[in-house]
Amino acid sequence: MRYLPHTPADRQAMLAAIGVDGIDALFVDVPGQALLPAALDLPHHAGEMAVEESLTAMAGRSLPAGAAACFLGAGAYRHHVPAAVDHLIQRSEFLTAYTPYQPEVSQGTLQYLFEFQTQVALLTGMEVANASMYDGASACAEAVLMAHRVTKRNKALLCGGLHPHYADATSTVTQFIEFDVDTRPANPSVVEDLGALIDADTACVVVQTPDLFGRLHDLRPLAAAAHAKGALLVAVVTEFVSLGAVMSPGEMGADIVVGEGQAIGNALNFGGPYLGLFATRQKFVRQMPGRVCGETVDEDGRRGYVLTLSTREQHIRREKATSNICTNSGLCCLAFCIHLSLLGEVGLRQLAQLNHSGAVHLAEQLAALDGVEVVNESFFNEFTLRLPRPAEAVVGELVGHGVLAGVPVSRLYPDDPELANLLLVATTETNSEGDVAAFINALREVLS
Amino acid sequence: MSKPIETSSGHRGLDLAEPLIFELDGPGRCGVDLPEPDAVTNRLGGLERQAAIGLPGLSEPQVVRHFVRLSRNNFAIDAGLYPLGSCTMKHNPRLNEKVARLPGFADLHPMQPMETVQGALELIDTLAEWLCALTGMSAIAMSPAAGAHGELCGLMCIRAALEAKGDARQVVLVPTSAHGTNPATAAICGYRIEEIPADDRGRVDLAALKEKLGPHVAAIMLTNPNTCGLFETQIVEIAEAVHAAGAYFYCDGANFNAIVGKVRPGDLGIDCMHLNLHKTFSTPHGGGGPGSGPVVLAEALAPYAPLPMVVRGADGLELVEHKSEALGTAASFGRLKGFHGQMGMFVRALAFILSHGADGLRQVSEDAVLNANYVLARLQDLLTLSFPGPCMHEALFDDRFLQGTGVSTLDFAKAMIDEGFHPMTMYFPLVVSGAMLIEPTESESKDSLDQFIATMRHLAERARQGDAGYFAGAPHLAPYRRLNETQAARQPVLRWRPAVQEAAE
Amino acid sequence: MSEIYYTEDHEWILVEGDIGTCGISEFAQEQLGDIVYVELPEPGKVVAQNDELAVVESVKAASEIYAPVSGEITESNDELVDEPGKINEDAMGDGWFFKIRISDAKELEDLLDKAAYEALIAGQR
């Protein structure tokens, strides 16, 4: 076994040093009947070449997005990740370190977490951010729990344009405590008046922008309405590249901003691991869940960083912790931080413009097709199409044309026939003119 | 100690001082080349960003240098022994990184049509089968993102199953030695926590447990091997007592790496258990994540498992993403996170499993246990062992051997840094004073352990000889001296701010 | 005339008339180490004996502070919010947490006097 250093002689010598005859003398505390006498009847060890071959074959039984014209979004976006990002995150010192509990030998991790927190705060227009959470959906659930702690109120109002995975994760996490989640119906043709639904029990209103259907929302009126009634406004962003072109939720009055950071620095990975982002106002910092990194000095007065405010966390506070979460998405944060450092102010704004102009072009061309309607007034790089027949079938037919056309809304809302013809279409800088032409031509053909 | 030599640059040889990325800003600089966007009439609904974001501008070489310099301030398992008890810092094979990046896994959108992702579903299904077989359990929920998320998943299954029987009950029993995530998770599931004391052997006190059991108890959450590195010898009796009270047995599988291939937890009577793929199956810790925490379930809990799940349909594998009576998912407690789970971690874990096979995994736990017991045997005369051995994959010492020396567990740990080792887990578990929990893992050779042992013996003797000042000042040779955590917590500075703005405030 | 009592949770209450001034003991501040944060009750809050009332945090530990007696909070030591180090410096004096108007003086009988408290911590040292 290439990963195991001991020779049989080493093992014998060590057993002798311990003073036992055989390895099972060390498993003596296991109830006898439960100790397996031999290896399970499953395949035995395999060399690197064999494992690589079998997994490569398995990978070959899927169609990578890059091998097709891919227009899928709905909370996961295919952007170009510069080669330097993946190279740097694979450095041993980042990849194979643990949570930075010994700051004297973990300043690499701690400093990038501090930089990452700053980047997230800047993008969202908030004062502070944590060192990340599992993903956007779980960050959303944690935001609602935090609003519950801050306001001591027992209800959350979720907009209909909130990604249903986020709404579901929120309902799941709050289902066994005294808390109600009011998820509004999903419908891209309806303008919601959430402000009117806020009452004295409302802990927070959760609004996604751009929302599931791609629509952008001016949060200012809602922030005012929420604050007037003592509720918090939670803004959700699932495509962080949008913040290069769109006003930040912080500027529009949000109290907590959560979202999915995958779009910056991270591959699609079939849905995970992703990167939950969490930012809020300074005054709520002790109610914020998750790890945070803070600045300090060492004994020689040199600036350095430590994990701080840990008394909020489970390993100290146990059942009174702000959250049960222990792990963050360390390496995904690093990828985000490096990619955003490469982009910088100029690059991110240009990338966002590029995405938006591509989407505007695509929307125009799609709208020109017979029977196809672009539902959105406003959008960033994703919008909703209304097709003349169920989107799921159309998407299935387009696969044969080498086009991954988008996410049928019915995949997310299978029980709502009104949404069956809707298709979410996203485009990024990775979509070439050829991809767009392939999509338009194939869709024309399939619909004719 | 002689005074360190001052340099004019602030760098010290290979130890290069590095400012924050924001302090390297060159306005207008950019590390990517992008095409010029076409001029279009924007459709941003009047919400165009007006204000600058405040991100710094750097070229690619500057960015690369920045992060390479940062990386050099980190200790890592690739560089040396990292015996963090309960964290399982084992070798991370690079093959696993390579296969996780195959486009057929890494470049798949989670919402692609099912027929285009059959290989990915096959991977999830294959890993699921292995995990069920290794644990002797009948079902599995793959989506939890980490260990604590897995705990949440398992406890929610238990709560849903009890509610289906008409009574969710009120209390979850947790041993005093438990990970902090256990009580935190139980609280989110609406349960009150009652602690069960340990006996003088470091195991659950069965008599005390039986006294606490009753119709109000929903579950016990028990780590096995436990956080003292000991196998719960009475685990079968514990399971029987818990079941007799109509409660469920949640096993925290954080320490499954001690018994994988040797013991199937299903044979011990547990009802559910999470697996930390980043521990037992070596997906890299990455400086704190991402993790992955699939949960194996007994038949009684399987109907309540979260969505989505992979099932075999008529046209191959498919993901069930919504409750459906026909597929038996109607009772599911719901969805825990976005999409389908930590796919990137699944690929790495399966590569680890296929590389080791059933025989190799058995050897993994045998070697992990052998290594811990070797450390225990060679240190027990100088350090104070908390409970008699044999231990499982980790050896627990406490600070009695430091009594009267003026050296604390923390000081001792910091001195280990100067000796080139990452410290062990300190002050956990809470059931002994000044805990030192040492987990060498199977990745360490005998030579490496001998060096470690020699160092620990040297430090223990040095502490006894009354060199408290040396320990209090440690680390002397790390990139940084001890950091002031009090200052960080009293006046939290959690982000960088430009100097001008600071002056204006 | 004033009298001091202690609780088993290491709080003290100095009683002057119907007002009690409360804090944590010297022993408690030593055990916690550098205190970094306190959360204090709002004046006007009415509490029952043993209600959770405040939180005190060091870098690595957090403790709840319970009401030693029932009553109404009349004042909180807001200076601690910015300077929690005062608790370490003078736990029994400037580091006081809050004042409470005692509603039932009989409850003081449940508490420890100085000698009893010193005996208690002697066993814990």
Side-chain angles (χ1 to χ4, degrees):
Chain A
M1 246 328 291
R2 61 189 177 279
Y3 301 138
L4 299 175
H6 293 331
T7 63
D10 289 335
R11 292 189 181 107
Q12 278 313 316
M14 292 168 75
L15 287 168
I18 296 165
V20 294
D21 295 336
I23 189 72
D24 279 347
L26 302 177
F27 285 85
V28 66
D29 288 338
V30 177
Q33 75 275 17
L35 195 64
L36 297 168
L40 290 165
D41 188 18
L42 291 163
H44 278 210
H45 67 275
E48 182 163 322
M49 223 160 54
V51 174
E52 187 174 344
E53 271 170 20
S54 74
L55 290 175
T56 304
M58 210 183 272
R61 292 191 276 278
S62 294
L63 173 68
C70 173
F71 294 91
L72 285 88
Y77 299 88
R78 186 169 186 275
H79 289 286
H80 175 73
V81 179
V85 173
D86 197 43
H87 170 79
L88 288 167
I89 69 167
Q90 287 198 69
R91 277 188 69 88
S92 293
E93 300 89 335
F94 289 135
L95 184 75
T96 76
Y98 193 67
T99 308
Y101 287 137
Q102 297 290 338
E104 299 85 0
V105 285
S106 309
Q107 285 300 308
T109 300
L110 287 160
Q111 186 168 332
Y112 84 64
L113 289 177
F114 189 80
E115 293 174 347
F116 166 83
Q117 289 172 187
T118 307
Q119 288 172 332
V120 174
L122 288 170
L123 279 173
T124 54
M126 303 303 284
E127 286 156 346
V128 289
N130 74 10
S132 83
M133 323 217 56
Y134 302 140
D135 69 356
S138 55
C140 178
E142 290 288 337
V144 169
L145 287 173
M146 175 173 144
H148 173 49
R149 286 193 296 277
V150 168
T151 62
K152 313 229 168 15
R153 296 179 176 188
N154 295 317
K155 197 169 78 180
L157 188 57
L158 313 188
C159 76
L162 179 64
H163 194 297
H165 290 177
Y166 290 50
D168 289 350
T170 304
S171 301
T172 297
V173 166
T174 54
Q175 66 186 312
F176 297 130
I177 57 173
E178 276 177 37
F179 196 85
D180 291 327
V181 174
D182 179 5
T183 307
R184 308 306 302 164
N187 190 333
S189 311
V190 168
V191 177
E192 292 174 316
D193 183 10
L194 294 168
L197 299 169
I198 303 171
D199 61 30
D201 292 330
T202 309
C204 63
V205 190
V206 182
V207 185
Q208 180 177 327
T209 183
D211 70 10
L212 177 71
F213 302 102
R215 297 175 301 178
L216 294 163
H217 296 280
D218 185 350
L219 303 179
R220 286 168 290 197
L222 191 56
H227 296 157
K229 290 179 179 160
L232 303 188
L233 177 65
V234 177
V236 175
V237 180
T238 62
E239 164 55 297
F240 252 64
V241 174
S242 69
L243 294 173
V246 178
M247 197 179 284
S248 72
E251 287 173 89
M252 296 192 280
D255 299 291
I256 304 173
V257 184
V258 291
E260 177 51 68
Q262 171 273 332
I264 298 179
N266 287 275
L268 288 171
N269 278 325
F270 197 48
Y274 280 4
L275 172 61
L277 304 177
F278 198 112
T280 187
R281 305 216 172 270
Q282 179 76 37
K283 63 180 174 183
F284 298 134
V285 69
R286 288 182 189 268
Q287 295 297 338
M288 185 167 69
R291 289 182 190 143
V292 286
C293 169
E295 184 183 305
T296 186
V297 291
D298 78 355
E299 266 174 35
D300 294 339
R302 195 171 171 199
R303 180 175 66 178
Y305 306 89
V306 292
L307 291 180
T308 191
L309 304 181
S310 48
T311 44
R312 301 162 299 116
E313 291 184 75
Q314 47 75 27
H315 62 277
I316 290 174
R317 208 46 158 254
R318 300 176 83 86
E319 69 266 29
K320 287 184 175 156
T322 52
S323 161
N324 76 325
I325 290 178
C326 174
T327 308
N328 70 348
S329 292
L331 213 59
C332 305
C333 297
L334 177 61
F336 179 102
C337 184
I338 298 169
H339 190 185
L340 201 53
S341 300
L342 286 164
L343 286 166
E345 183 86 16
V346 171
L348 182 67
R349 298 193 76 148
Q350 191 171 348
L351 179 65
Q353 282 308 324
L354 203 55
N355 274 256
H356 184 57
S357 65
V360 171
H361 278 310
L362 181 62
E364 280 166 3
Q365 294 182 63
L366 287 166
L369 295 179
D370 278 347
V372 177
E373 178 202 344
V374 174
V375 177
N376 298 51
E377 290 286 327
S378 65
F379 55 82
F380 169 62
N381 67 355
E382 181 167 26
F383 48 83
T384 304
L385 293 185
R386 192 184 307 279
L387 300 177
R389 58 191 178 86
E392 182 130 28
V394 173
V395 166
E397 291 162 37
L398 288 171
V399 171
H401 293 76
V403 177
L404 295 168
V407 179
V409 175
S410 60
R411 173 96 184 245
L412 298 164
Y413 294 99
D415 304 324
D416 189 342
E418 270 190 47
L419 306 176
N421 291 8
L422 300 180
L423 179 66
L424 307 177
V425 175
T427 180
T428 72
E429 74 287 357
T430 63
N431 290 120
S432 65
E433 279 177 27
D435 289 346
V436 172
F439 185 14
I440 301 292
N441 292 334
L443 185 59
R444 185 186 292 119
E445 193 179 324
V446 164
L447 291 181
S448 65
Chain B
M1 299 290 291
S2 62
K3 214 172 146 39
I5 292 166
E6 298 280 333
T7 60
S8 68
S9 62
H11 301 318
R12 286 181 285 192
L14 288 181
D15 176 6
L16 297 155
E18 183 63 7
L20 287 166
I21 194 112
F22 301 94
E23 295 160 347
L24 300 169
D25 181 23
R29 238 174 359 219
C30 187
V32 297
D33 288 312
L34 293 166
E36 273 305 314
D38 294 339
V40 292
T41 309
N42 91 56
R43 296 189 63 176
L44 297 172
L47 296 170
E48 301 90 307
R49 179 180 271 282
Q50 308 292 334
I53 305 163
L55 297 172
L58 290 91
S59 63
E60 177 175 309
Q62 292 174 300
V63 171
V64 169
R65 187 167 288 171
H66 175 72
F67 287 100
V68 167
R69 286 182 173 187
L70 289 193
S71 75
R72 293 163 68 139
N73 286 327
N74 271 3
F75 196 91
I77 180 67
D78 277 353
L81 199 156
Y82 209 133
L84 270 180
S86 156
C87 302
T88 314
M89 297 302 287
K90 59 168 75 172
H91 174 61
N92 300 137
R94 287 312 194 278
L95 168 67
N96 306 359
E97 294 305 306
K98 185 177 181 189
V99 292
R101 286 167 172 80
L102 291 168
F105 299 130
D107 193 20
L108 295 182
H109 190 285
M111 295 275 112
Q112 281 183 218
M114 303 286 177
E115 69 266 26
T116 68
V117 295
Q118 286 296 305
L121 299 180
E122 185 185 344
L123 184 127
I124 298 175
D125 192 53
T126 307
L127 178 61
E129 272 181 26
W130 268 98
L131 297 178
C132 286
L134 290 170
T135 54
M137 301 290 279
S138 57
I140 188 163
M142 293 295 286
S143 67
H149 214 212
E151 289 176 28
L152 186 63
C153 170
L155 216 53
M156 286 200 158
C157 285
I158 288 171
R159 177 140 194 159
L162 286 168
E163 284 188 351
K165 289 187 201 166
D167 181 8
R169 304 185 168 202
Q170 300 94 41
V171 169
V172 167
L173 302 178
V174 177
T176 40
S177 62
H179 294 115
T181 50
N182 293 174
T185 301
I188 291 182
C189 291
Y191 287 115
R192 200 171 76 237
I193 288 86
E194 283 185 22
E195 291 206 334
I196 331 165
D199 63 16
D200 53 12
R201 299 160 50 251
R203 271 87 172 182
V204 164
D205 185 332
L206 184 61
L209 166 67
K210 283 184 173 168
E211 251 170 59
K212 294 243 179 203
L213 281 169
H216 60 296
V217 173
I220 181 173
M221 295 181 89
L222 181 64
T223 309
N224 186 50
N226 69 24
T227 57
C228 301
L230 303 169
F231 199 92
E232 289 285 350
T233 45
Q234 291 177 300
I235 189 161
V236 175
E237 291 85 345
I238 292 172
E240 283 167 4
V242 166
H243 291 153
Y248 288 99
F249 185 164
Y250 184 92
C251 185
D252 180 327
N255 295 337
F256 184 56
N257 58 304
I259 56 171
V260 59
K262 292 289 282 186
V263 180
R264 289 181 301 193
D267 295 340
L268 303 169
I270 68 153
D271 296 304
C272 61
M273 178 174 96
H274 74 261
L275 294 158
N276 303 77
L277 298 188
H278 47 290
K279 293 182 181 174
T280 305
F281 302 106
S282 181
T283 70
H285 282 83
S292 180
V295 177
V296 288
L297 300 162
E299 233 168 280
L301 295 177
Y304 308 99
L307 295 169
M309 53 185 80
V310 177
V311 298
R312 247 165 232 292
D315 306 320
L317 294 165
E318 54 185 281
L319 270 169
V320 183
E321 296 170 295
H322 304 275
K323 291 186 189 189
S324 151
E325 203 70 60
L327 291 159
T329 55
S332 164
F333 73 71
R335 170 180 281 280
L336 275 171
K337 69 183 288 293
F339 305 116
H340 325 310
Q342 305 286 68
M343 181 68 181
M345 304 295 114
F346 299 160
V347 182
R348 291 169 175 89
L350 185 61
F352 183 86
I353 287 173
L354 295 179
S355 293
H356 285 85
D359 56 333
L361 289 171
R362 190 176 164 86
Q363 191 69 57
V364 159
S365 39
E366 288 183 353
D367 282 358
V369 170
L370 178 67
N371 284 359
N373 277 285
Y374 184 65
V375 169
L376 184 156
R378 300 271 319 269
L379 291 181
Q380 62 179 341
D381 59 324
L382 272 183
L383 276 64
T384 34
L385 188 64
S386 299
F387 303 104
C391 62
M392 298 303 286
H393 61 301
E394 54 196 355
L396 175 62
F397 297 92
D398 53 47
D399 63 4
R400 281 173 297 164
F401 77 101
L402 294 173
Q403 237 166 39
T405 62
V407 177
S408 67
T409 292
L410 180 75
D411 298 335
F412 193 89
K414 299 299 183 191
M416 288 169 69
I417 293 176
D418 284 333
E419 299 283 348
F421 294 102
H422 194 282
M424 64 271 137
T425 291
M426 304 178 289
Y427 302 104
F428 179 85
L430 309 173
V431 289
V432 301
S433 165
M436 302 183 176
L437 187 63
I438 302 175
E439 178 176 9
T441 84
E442 75 276 10
S443 304
E444 296 306 324
S445 67
K446 181 171 176 296
D447 289 346
S448 144
L449 293 176
D450 284 338
Q451 269 185 28
F452 174 72
I453 288 162
T455 303
M456 293 293 276
R457 295 186 70 87
H458 162 79
L459 289 176
E461 273 162 4
R462 188 161 186 179
R464 279 193 186 170
Q465 286 158 8
D467 208 352
Y470 171 78
F471 286 89
H476 303 276
L477 304 172
Y480 285 75
R481 302 291 303 282
R482 265 190 231 189
L483 287 122
N484 188 335
E485 300 196 35
T486 301
Q487 181 181 324
R490 278 188 180 161
Q491 285 104 27
V493 177
L494 307 182
R495 60 172 288 190
W496 172 86
R497 281 181 192 278
V500 233
Q501 200 176 324
E502 237 166 54
E505 274 172 7
Chain C
M1 185 182 130
S2 67
E3 210 155 347
I4 191 158
Y5 300 87
Y6 293 83
T7 71
E8 287 180 5
D9 299 316
H10 310 288
E11 291 129 16
W12 54 265
I13 174 168
L14 180 73
V15 182
E16 290 165 298
D18 66 344
I19 299 291
T21 303
C22 306
I24 63 168
S25 71
E26 183 63 23
F27 175 76
Q29 81 68 23
E30 272 173 36
Q31 294 290 308
L32 280 164
D34 283 351
I35 289 162
V36 298
Y37 178 69
V38 283
E39 209 174 279
L40 298 168
E42 293 284 326
K45 186 173 172 146
V46 176
V47 293
Q49 189 175 28
N50 298 326
D51 275 3
E52 210 175 289
L53 202 49
V55 177
V56 57
E57 296 184 3
S58 64
V59 173
K60 301 281 182 198
S63 287
E64 277 75 31
I65 306 297
Y66 303 93
V69 291
S70 308
E72 182 188 338
I73 303 301
T74 58
E75 198 181 339
S76 277
N77 187 2
D78 291 331
E79 284 183 22
L80 297 184
V81 174
D82 290 328
E83 287 180 79
K86 280 195 169 171
I87 301 165
N88 296 112
E89 286 154 24
D90 190 9
M92 308 295 294
D94 281 354
W96 64 276
F97 279 43
F98 54 84
K99 297 188 182 195
I100 186 167
R101 176 168 293 117
I102 301 166
S103 59
D104 180 3
K106 264 207 224 113
E107 287 174 354
L108 293 168
E109 291 166 19
D110 305 338
L111 306 181
L112 307 171
D113 64 16
K114 194 159 188 260
Y117 179 71
E118 274 168 8
L120 175 83
I121 58 173
Q124 291 184 15
R125 273 195 204 271

